[in-house]
Amino acid sequence: MTTPITFPSGFLLGSATAAYQVEGAAHEDGRGDCIWDTFSATPGAVVHGHTGAVACDHYHRMPQDVALMRSLNLGAYRFSVSWARVCPDGSTVNEKGLDFYSRLVDELLAADIVPWVTLYHWDLPQALEEAGGWPARGVVDRFVDYALAVHERLGDRVRQLTTLNEPWCSAFLGYAAGVHAPGRTDPQDGLRAAHHLLLAHGRAVQALRERDPGLELGLTLNFTEMQPQDPASAGDRDAARRLDGLANRFFVEPLTRGAYPEDVLEDLGELWPQDLVHDGDLADISTPIDVLGVNFYTGSMVTGPDPEAAPEAARQARAYDAPSPNVGSEHVVVVRRGTPVTDMGWEIRPQALRDLLLWLQRDHTGPAGTRLYVTENGAAMPDDPDGTGFVDDQDRVAYLDGHLRAVHEAIQGGADVRGYFVWSLMDNYEWAYGYTRRFGIVRVDYDTQERTPKASARWFADVAGSGAIG
């Protein structure tokens, strides 16, 4: 028997999606191409050549989708704005694109659902990519202009604005490993992109706060637990330190401490572009934020050679192995533990979410007075619908139950966690996996676009409606 738990009064329970994954309407009302339109049209880039051209057709079905959210008792809906819909060429504002988001916000507010807006969820306008993309410093100013344009239209009704979603993925999966858009495979491009993403965040926060001091501003980072295969092995401890450094500390420390971790810069060695960080950049990046969004899915066990051999091992891996997102530590190997995994092959580690939230509270967000929200957590599972389209996904229910309990334990341990968003509201375009992986608590039949709440949706609706797990 599990123990009933109750979340604090006002704890926000919602769900999330991203524009390219759900909207469709790829060329309607003036929307321009984004890097995912181009990447998904590249042969071999995405499973089965799937694209987001139609996705879940949310652009046309938005009112019904908001009614569905209301039926699931969601207190908030975290969605992203398509930069290419709002600024098709990366800079010129398209009012028709903003019209859609204005209608969405009105629909949400009428349903008593908080609109939680993410400005960037990986869909850079293709025009800006052709001008250099995130590795080019000029994109920073374009992002600030775009952020202000969105606020100009929505700021009278939207009070929560997130600048970026998962800059680690944008930078290292997109520009170093090449498995996400735009598909580049240059480690230094990845590092330049990472810095410019953080700089764009900081400068956008400054501009938005000057425009509207009452906004609740922040960004969302993805975190992954890293453990050594053998804690007694210096090489395995070094491997865990390296990937924890690049995946986790490389992004949170500039925000809260105004500096990149020294050990990570040492790991990067000659890869770190000496002309990258300009005077004042880190002060801009560390502009105080109100909220840190935490995306968490899994943990990893890793192994590596003795620390003395690591730099040469990394150089050899860069030269002879497939491109890697682990810039400067490409030699580190992830080890399977044989523990339960999701349909993505990701290990299920709810206790790691508790430990992560407590670490952030102790070392980063607590001292800064920054509130925490779990902005994504969920699981792709091998769903098996019955004849009516219903999915009895007790595996996903168990995943969500375990992770929500971990959040509750973190709150009891002193972490200032104010809300939780399940990923995702509905099955959608899962990036390079196309439509072959399903994260939704609502099933989407991609042939008919029919939405069918799964057992997990019914379960989460009870939690969201009561603020408790029985």
Side-chain angles (χ1 to χ4, degrees), residues 153-409:
R153 187 64 181 278
L154 306 181
D156 60 329
R157 289 155 291 157
V158 170
R159 307 312 297 158
Q160 286 79 20
L161 274 175
T162 299
T163 53
L164 309 175
N165 180 79
E166 299 184 349
W168 181 91
C169 296
S170 296
F172 296 134
L173 295 181
Y175 288 93
V179 295
H180 276 193
R184 294 203 222 171
T185 55
D186 184 326
Q188 286 197 318
D189 277 352
L191 293 170
R192 290 184 182 278
H195 179 67
H196 293 149
L197 281 155
L198 289 173
L199 184 60
H201 152 76
R203 291 191 176 167
V205 168
Q206 290 176 345
L208 289 164
R209 183 155 285 139
E210 182 178 355
R211 172 83 63 86
D212 187 345
L215 288 171
E216 191 171 25
L217 297 170
L219 85 167
T220 282
L221 302 178
N222 55 303
F223 294 88
T224 303
E225 175 200 41
M226 299 293 177
Q227 289 191 337
Q229 181 180 27
D230 178 4
S233 162
D236 289 358
R237 293 196 306 272
D238 184 62
R241 177 199 60 77
R242 282 171 166 268
L243 292 201
D244 172 68
L246 189 68
N248 301 327
R249 293 183 288 112
F250 182 86
F251 291 93
V252 74
E253 289 194 16
L255 295 171
T256 62
R257 299 179 180 175
Y260 289 109
E262 287 293 335
D263 64 311
V264 177
L265 296 179
E266 185 176 341
D267 295 339
L268 293 168
E270 61 193 19
L271 290 174
W272 183 252
Q274 294 305 308
D275 63 344
L276 179 55
V277 180
H278 294 194
D279 289 346
D281 280 5
L282 287 162
D284 290 341
I285 290 170
S286 59
T287 299
I289 55 176
D290 306 298
V291 168
L292 177 65
V294 174
N295 289 2
F296 177 84
Y297 290 94
T298 188
S300 294
M301 177 176 281
V302 296
T303 185
D306 287 340
E308 296 78 12
E312 179 58 27
R315 280 192 288 271
Q316 291 181 12
R318 280 196 298 279
Y320 301 110
D321 298 342
S324 169
N326 301 323
V327 176
S329 298
E330 295 88 346
H331 63 289
V332 173
V333 175
V334 175
V335 180
R336 290 286 180 187
R337 282 181 272 207
T339 57
V341 298
T342 69
D343 202 33
M344 299 291 287
W346 297 344
E347 295 182 348
I348 300 173
R349 302 269 306 165
Q351 66 272 32
L353 175 56
R354 175 200 62 208
D355 296 344
L356 165 65
L357 294 169
L358 291 170
W359 168 69
L360 288 170
Q361 179 71 31
R362 183 186 70 242
D363 290 0
H364 295 286
T365 55
T370 302
R371 299 178 287 280
L372 289 165
Y373 285 80
V374 177
T375 40
E376 284 183 29
N377 176 245
M381 292 297 185
D383 293 346
D384 183 20
D386 65 17
T388 69
F390 176 70
V391 177
D392 188 20
D393 55 340
Q394 296 303 318
D395 45 7
R396 186 175 286 106
V397 170
Y399 180 101
L400 298 177
D401 180 275
H403 285 80
L404 272 165
R405 290 179 182 277
V407 172
H408 188 263
E409 289 177 14

